[in-house]
Amino acid sequence: MFSNLNLDGHTPMRVQPARGAWGPRGVPGTRWKKFQRIIVPIITVAIGVGLFFLGRMFYLILTGG
């Protein structure tokens, strides 16, 4: 009739998150998750552009252009 509030179920203690005074410790907060959703695509595009220009630089050096 009532739902089981123990969300850990039958998992071993070693894989359950540590509990602090205000909930699990070591779990990223909502603000950090939102920041990651914005910054990860930006960093990914920046790395891709950087690799493209690095490859272009090597190409130009090797072809003498």
Side-chain angles (χ1 to χ4, degrees):
M1 179 167 185
F2 297 105
S3 65
N4 183 7
L5 296 179
N6 181 9
L7 299 177
D8 297 326
H10 299 292
T11 58
M13 288 297 292
R14 68 180 184 275
V15 297
Q16 295 178 9
R19 305 257 192 279
W22 294 284
R25 293 183 314 211
V27 177
T30 306
R31 181 176 292 165
W32 177 246
K33 289 179 192 175
K34 287 181 182 178
F35 179 71
Q36 283 180 330
R37 287 188 194 115
I38 295 169
I39 199 71
V40 167
I42 293 171
I43 291 174
T44 303
V45 169
I47 290 173
V49 168
L51 287 174
F52 170 77
F53 282 112
L54 181 67
R56 186 170 189 270
M57 182 185 70
F58 280 122
Y59 172 77
L60 291 175
I61 289 171
L62 291 173
T63 59

